[in-house]
Amino acid sequence: MADSSIPVRTCVGCRGRAPVTDLLRVVVRDGELTPDPRRRFPGRGASLHPTTECLQAAVRRRAFPRALRCSTMLETGPIEEHVRRSVTDPAERSPDGRTRDVTTQSDQHPAGPHVESRTSSDEPPVKSSR
C-alpha cells in the first residue's frame, strides 16, 4: 500500500503525478514566475518537476497561466535560472542522479518547519462538551 501521508501533485509540464517532495512549487510574484522550494509563499501555486524538459513543456503548452489562473504573460527568468542551477549543481543531486530538495530536517514536514502534534501519543485527546 502506498504511503498516503505525503501529498501528491501533478506536474504542469509532463502531467505526471509525483509526491510534493519531488516537485518544485512555482508562484506568481510581481508578474514573474518565482520558485518556491520551501513551499512557503502565499497564493495559488503550480507544481513542476525541476527539469528543463518539464519547464520547456510547461512553457510550450502555456500551462503556467492556466494553472495559476493568471491572464497576463508571465516572466519565466527566475524559474529558468532555478531549474538550470538545480540541474547542474552536483551538491543538490542524490547518488542515483535525481534532484533532491536541500532543506533542513525541520523543514521536512509538508505543513511547515515547526508543526507539532497538539497531543502526544501517550495521552488521549481531550474532549470538551459544547
Side-chain angles (χ1 to χ4, degrees), residues 53-71:
E53 295 83 15
C54 284
L55 177 60
Q56 290 170 353
V59 170
R60 184 179 63 246
R61 294 175 54 242
R62 297 183 202 115
F64 287 118
R66 210 173 23 252
L68 297 169
R69 295 184 183 170
C70 181
S71 60

Side-chain angles (χ1 to χ4, degrees), residues 10-88:
T10 301
C11 172
V12 295
C14 68
R15 304 293 297 156
R17 293 174 50 89
V20 294
T21 54
D22 293 346
L23 298 171
L24 173 67
R25 183 172 187 254
V26 178
V27 296
V28 176
R29 295 187 82 174
D30 300 324
E32 61 183 26
L33 292 173
T34 305
D36 186 14
R38 296 183 62 201
R39 308 182 75 77
R40 300 289 186 272
F41 292 142
R44 179 174 276 283
S47 298
L48 175 78
H49 284 110
T51 63
T52 55
E53 295 83 15
C54 284
L55 177 60
Q56 290 170 353
V59 170
R60 184 179 63 246
R61 294 175 54 242
R62 297 183 202 115
F64 287 118
R66 210 173 23 252
L68 297 169
R69 295 184 183 170
C70 181
S71 60
T72 61
M73 290 298 296
L74 301 171
E75 178 62 38
T76 60
I79 194 75
E80 289 173 356
E81 176 63 29
H82 181 82
V83 168
R84 183 173 41 250
R85 192 175 54 237
S86 68
V87 168
T88 58

Side-chain angles (χ1 to χ4, degrees), residues 107-128:
D107 288 341
Q108 295 285 325
H109 194 281
H114 301 291
V115 174
E116 296 178 7
S117 174
R118 292 188 185 266
T119 60
S120 72
S121 60
D122 297 333
E123 302 171 9
V126 177
K127 295 184 179 180
S128 62

